[in-house]
Amino acid sequence: MKQRVVITGLGIVAPNGVGLSDFTKALKNGTSGIRFHQDLKDLNFSCQIGGIPQITDELISKYFTDLQLRGFNSSGILYGCIAGMDAWKDAGFDLNSKSELDYDTGLIFGTGTSGVEKFREAIHKLDEGNVRRLGSTVVLQTMASGISAYLGGMLGFGNQVTTNSSACTTGTEALLMGYERIKYGKAKRMLVGSCSDHGPYIWGGFDAMRVMTYKHNDSPTEGSRSMSVSASGFVPGSGAGALVLESLESALERGATIYAEVMGGEINSGGQRQGGTLTAPNPEAVHRCIKNALQNSGIVSSEIEVINGHLTATSKDTLEIENWTEALQRQGKNFPFINSTKSLVGHCLAAAGAIECVASIIQLKEQFIAPNINCDDLHPGIEELVSPEKIPHKKIDQKFDTIAKASFGFGDVNACVLFKRFIA
């Protein structure tokens, strides 16, 4: 029998809010987490702004022991562990380092490039001939699966524990991979999500590609301009999002709080064909991803009431809206409400999908639509396709049942998931 899958826990470490309460307030108020960073200016970056979560040493000490922090220098793993443990606790479970091994629970937690700062630190020691001084945690902090290794051990999971990596699609893909595992009875629960490091050694390559904005170094909160005609590139961000997925049977059995139900989704690739490239999506594959997500979820186009888009504040925003209108066969006032969490946090790269999935679930649970900031000058190509009232500039209190979340990543890879308000 196929299992129904619900969401019973959330965790978030975002540039505009760490923890569910602060992040929810930021979503409702349209609060940006984008700031100016002097180190980017000192390194001659064109884009000198970015989104970095504000985390204190006091907060870190609540999640890690002094021994775990010795020689620790990986911001992405730090963010992922905090978000993951928060989601586990939010789902009603204890954080117990001596717990029994849990064979019913697994973990799929994605990342892009892990522990770059730690890797740089190690390279310097190697160049100086100090290989013996690298320390015992260099491998764990710099291997791609470092985040799942840390979290899997902290929480004692005995089911599948792994890391996926699909650029900007990583977090949404991880969620759908975890969903499939529960749906087909291979696990009762899966902790899913993604994380991304911050800083110049992650963001430098994008600055060199000239895909990040350079026009708002003096006005950081105005820099991330999804769907705006004056958008001039994305703003880099970092952080992590985490979700506990659980079979409905398990959730009901233990009386868990249920945020929403995962109805289904689709993962595919455009193969860098038919207009698709390393950095641009193949429209036909995007249409197919959205349509198949609907079919796999048992949902028809007219039921989609809100979309949390990928919408990076680049020239591809108009193409994304066009792809949605064609896939859903809906335009103008008939188009769903759509927003971009990136207008508030920037593009958090590998963490983007998970952070935006958490944002989608919060909006669905609390029945509001978060604002798109910085798009008062809506791109005319988008305005031709979608009625401006469907792109809110302020929070809207709105009753709705279904939200779609999609991610379209470097390498021409796509993922789309459908969430529905849980009705027993």
Side-chain angles (χ1 to χ4, degrees):
M1 281 183 62
K2 294 180 181 178
Q3 300 285 327
R4 290 174 67 183
V5 181
V6 294
I7 297 165
T8 56
L10 299 175
I12 187 74
V13 177
N16 64 343
V18 176
L20 286 179
S21 178
D22 286 350
F23 184 60
T24 300
K25 288 176 185 175
L27 286 178
K28 289 181 175 180
N29 295 332
T31 303
S32 173
I34 308 301
R35 298 171 181 84
F36 171 80
H37 298 288
Q38 184 64 44
D39 61 335
L40 300 182
K41 182 176 181 179
D42 293 342
L43 290 167
N44 297 315
F45 271 56
S46 297
C47 178
Q48 298 163 10
I49 60 176
I52 298 178
Q54 303 297 292
I55 295 181
T56 64
D57 290 340
E58 181 182 3
L59 180 67
I60 294 171
S61 68
K62 295 179 181 179
Y63 295 84
F64 296 85
T65 65
D66 290 341
L67 181 60
Q68 287 171 326
L69 290 171
R70 189 178 300 168
F72 192 90
N73 192 14
S74 176
S75 57
I77 292 175
L78 178 75
Y79 300 149
C81 286
I82 292 174
M85 285 190 280
D86 277 357
W88 188 240
K89 188 166 58 175
D90 185 51
F93 297 104
D94 294 330
L95 302 177
N96 181 2
S97 61
K98 297 181 180 180
S99 63
E100 293 291 323
L101 181 59
D102 181 359
Y103 286 108
D104 291 325
T105 304
L107 167 72
I108 300 176
F109 215 99
T111 189
T113 306
S114 185
V116 171
E117 287 289 345
K118 188 65 180 180
F119 194 62
R120 174 176 175 268
E121 178 186 301
I123 288 172
H124 278 290
K125 288 180 179 178
L126 282 173
D127 288 345
E128 294 166 0
N130 293 321
V131 65
R132 294 181 183 275
R133 294 182 58 196
L134 290 181
S136 60
T137 64
V138 168
V139 172
L140 186 56
Q141 290 185 59
T142 58
M143 67 185 189
S145 57
I147 175 58
S148 57
Y150 267 96
L151 263 179
M154 286 173 160
L155 298 174
F157 293 162
N159 207 285
Q160 180 183 14
V161 171
T162 192
T163 292
N164 68 307
S165 187
S166 293
C168 324
T169 305
T170 298
T172 309
E173 178 185 78
L175 187 150
L176 286 168
M177 291 168 71
Y179 161 80
E180 291 281 338
R181 194 158 184 84
I182 298 170
K183 180 180 177 180
Y184 292 106
K186 295 183 177 181
K188 287 185 178 180
R189 292 168 295 274
M190 294 293 293
L191 176 60
V192 299
S194 62
C195 60
S196 182
D197 292 44
H198 71 254
Y201 297 96
I202 290 288
W203 298 342
F206 297 103
D207 198 70
M209 290 173 67
R210 298 292 187 264
V211 294
M212 302 197 304
T213 184
Y214 61 89
K215 295 184 177 181
H216 297 277
N217 293 333
D218 296 325
S219 53
T221 61
E222 298 175 12
S224 190
R225 309 185 65 80
S226 302
M227 297 182 280
S228 163
V229 70
S230 56
S232 53
F234 73 78
V235 175
S238 57
L243 307 92
V244 174
L245 308 184
E246 188 165 0
S247 71
L248 177 60
E249 181 181 20
S250 172
L252 293 177
E253 186 177 279
R254 64 185 190 87
T257 297
I258 296 176
Y259 283 97
E261 183 170 2
V262 184
M263 302 305 295
E266 174 76 343
I267 303 167
N268 76 358
S269 170
Q272 299 167 50
R273 301 291 191 274
Q274 298 160 296
T277 68
L278 278 169
T279 58
N282 171 348
E284 183 177 317
V286 171
H287 300 166
R288 185 182 182 90
C289 183
I290 295 169
K291 289 177 180 177
N292 284 354
L294 291 170
Q295 183 176 343
N296 295 340
S297 303
I299 289 174
V300 297
S301 170
S302 60
E303 293 180 83
I304 304 297
E305 295 160 279
V306 182
I307 298 168
N308 184 285
H310 188 62
L311 299 168
T312 57
T314 65
S315 60
K316 301 303 177 185
D317 284 5
T318 303
L319 175 59
E320 179 177 337
I321 298 295
E322 182 180 338
N323 286 334
W324 279 107
T325 62
E326 292 185 10
L328 297 179
Q329 289 294 294
R330 295 171 62 183
Q331 289 190 16
K333 292 183 178 181
N334 187 41
F335 193 77
F337 287 100
I338 187 165
N339 60 11
S340 171
T341 306
K342 291 183 181 72
S343 69
L344 303 174
V345 301
H347 190 345
C348 296
L349 305 175
I355 289 173
E356 292 160 20
C357 281
V358 172
S360 299
I361 297 303
I362 290 172
Q363 291 173 83
L364 181 59
K365 179 67 173 176
E366 300 213 4
Q367 296 287 276
F368 73 94
I369 301 171
N372 299 274
I373 65 171
N374 304 322
C375 75
D376 293 331
D377 56 340
L378 187 62
H379 194 290
I382 293 175
E383 193 167 356
E384 288 178 6
L385 297 168
V386 177
S387 176
E389 68 196 55
K390 295 295 187 174
I391 304 172
H393 301 158
K394 294 183 179 180
K395 176 181 77 79
I396 296 176
D397 292 319
Q398 179 80 18
K399 292 183 178 181
F400 66 101
D401 290 330
T402 307
I403 186 169
K405 167 67 208 149
S407 299
F408 309 116
F410 269 31
D412 198 9
V413 290
N414 313 305
C416 181
V417 59
L418 279 297
F419 302 118
K420 193 165 186 176
R421 190 167 63 89
F422 177 72
I423 302 171

